[in-house]
Structures are given as C-alpha cells and as structure tokens.
Amino acid sequence: MPKRFFKLTDDVYISGRWELGHPLDHEGRKLDDPWQFRIGQRAQSDERIKIPIKISGKPLDYSHAAFSIPVVHARVASLFTEVAPDDVQLIPVEIDSQPAQHFILNATRLVKCIDDAACEEVRYWTLEDGMPEKVGTYSSVSGMRIDTAKAEGAKVFRTWGWTVALIVSEEIKEALERAGLTGAKFTDVTGPGPANGP
C-alpha cells in the first residue's frame, strides 16, 4: 500500500475562531525574518517570541500566525515530537492571555518532490519576471501532487521551490485526528504515479 501525504493548513472556516498576528520579539517589535520558520530548515532563533491575538475568539490547537507560520498547542507539539522527532523544530512562543504553552512548528526538512505533470498547473519564475533570485522555483502551484517515492522516510516537510506548502504523512494526520485536535485542515497531495494507482 503506497504511503499517502497531506498538505496541512489552517482551517479558516471554523466559526468564532481566533486569528493570530505577526510574531514579535520580547520588546514587542515585529520579527525581521518571520520567513525563517517556513523554508524547510532549522531556524536560528533563540529569542523569546510573542504572538499577538489579532482577532479574539476560540483558541485552536493548530493555527497560523501571519505569513502562514504554524502555531501549535503543547498537545500538538508533543504529538509531532513523538511521531516525527527528526523532522520538526518546536520554538516556544507566548500568546496574549493564554496560559497554555504554544510553539511555532518549524518543519526542518525540504524535499524536492512536486510532481509537475500530476498537478493541475505549475508555473516557474523566469528572468522576465524581474526576480532573478527566484528563477527556477515555482511562482504558483495549483492542485498540488507529490511523487511519494521522493518523500520516502519523511513525515513532515516543506516542498522544494514552493515552501508555502507544509506536508505531513498519513500517520501524522491520523494521530492528530485521533487526538481530536482542532484547527487543522488536510488536503491529499498523494500523486497518481504508477506506484500510487489512478
């Protein structure tokens, strides 16, 4: 049976939910480099990070702060530590008025596995776009599918060239669902290659 993988996102349609803002340093200034938490490598952050609540509401176990940075309750953090300890870095954060411990969930693996032919549409940055540092990486990916053979052994990772996508294994998905954790949305990205059936 081929392994299945899912894009993990924030379920924005939960009624009455909270919205988290821009990560701040201990003095309340916006972090200079919030992108470091979604590029598929360990972050070098050793400062105390605060995350403000932009819109008050029901706290979620899994949600995104600004820049789609995953923020998880301690329950989610321990689950990731248990199932995929080599694939994640958990960075403690303080959230306004929340006594519970929360963490930024940073995937530390970057896997080149997007199956261009199986996706609905992919586009790459070109020199004509005027962003030379991005040439050769994806400018958009619709209907993402991955080649699961290239993700062998990984349970949590970012996709090379399109690091906005956070991918988790079926094992992670099922563990989160079994625990009844709130806020996570899963989209199947398992590719239709020969090993994966139609």
Side-chain angles (χ1 to χ4, degrees):
M1 187 79 178
K3 286 191 174 176
R4 300 178 73 77
F5 290 88
F6 298 82
K7 183 166 70 169
L8 173 57
T9 53
D10 186 12
D11 188 346
V12 297
Y13 295 108
I14 294 174
S15 177
R17 52 159 292 160
W18 69 2
E19 294 289 339
L20 301 179
H22 193 302
L24 309 172
D25 67 16
H26 66 283
E27 292 182 10
R29 295 174 303 213
K30 290 183 176 180
L31 287 190
D32 289 338
D33 184 17
W35 307 106
Q36 65 183 306
F37 306 117
R38 34 170 282 199
I39 57 175
Q41 64 185 42
R42 286 189 73 79
Q44 298 308 313
S45 179
D46 54 2
E47 59 187 326
R48 235 176 50 244
I49 297 173
K50 297 180 179 182
I51 296 182
I53 297 173
K54 196 165 74 171
I55 299 174
S56 293
K58 186 190 328 178
L60 300 174
D61 297 317
Y62 179 94
S63 50
H64 285 172
F67 308 100
S68 297
I69 297 167
V71 176
V72 299
H73 186 279
R75 289 192 303 260
V76 180
S78 64
L79 190 149
F80 273 90
T81 303
E82 183 183 319
V83 181
D86 300 330
D87 295 355
V88 295
Q89 175 187 19
L90 294 158
I91 299 154
V93 293
E94 292 173 19
I95 297 182
D96 294 348
S97 73
Q98 285 295 307
Q101 179 65 66
H102 288 78
F103 299 84
I104 287 174
L105 175 71
N106 181 31
T108 57
R109 293 180 74 156
L110 189 64
V111 180
K112 192 169 187 176
C113 61
I114 295 176
D115 186 341
D116 288 12
C119 297
E120 286 172 22
E121 181 185 35
V122 297
R123 291 186 183 176
Y124 286 88
W125 292 98
T126 65
L127 283 171
E128 291 71 44
D129 294 317
M131 305 269 287
E133 71 281 4
K134 292 191 173 186
V135 170
T137 62
Y138 297 96
S139 62
S140 72
V141 178
S142 300
M144 176 189 279
R145 291 288 179 268
I146 68 167
D147 180 343
T148 56
K150 293 180 178 173
E152 197 59 47
K155 293 180 180 176
V156 184
F157 58 92
R158 296 280 180 179
T159 46
W160 178 92
W162 187 247
T163 58
V164 67
L166 175 62
I167 309 298
V168 298
S169 67
E170 188 168 25
E171 185 181 0
I172 295 275
K173 173 182 181 283
E174 289 176 348
L176 288 168
E177 289 175 339
R178 268 196 313 274
L181 300 171
T182 58
K185 179 182 173 193
F186 301 94
T187 306
D188 196 336
V189 293
T190 309
N196 300 314

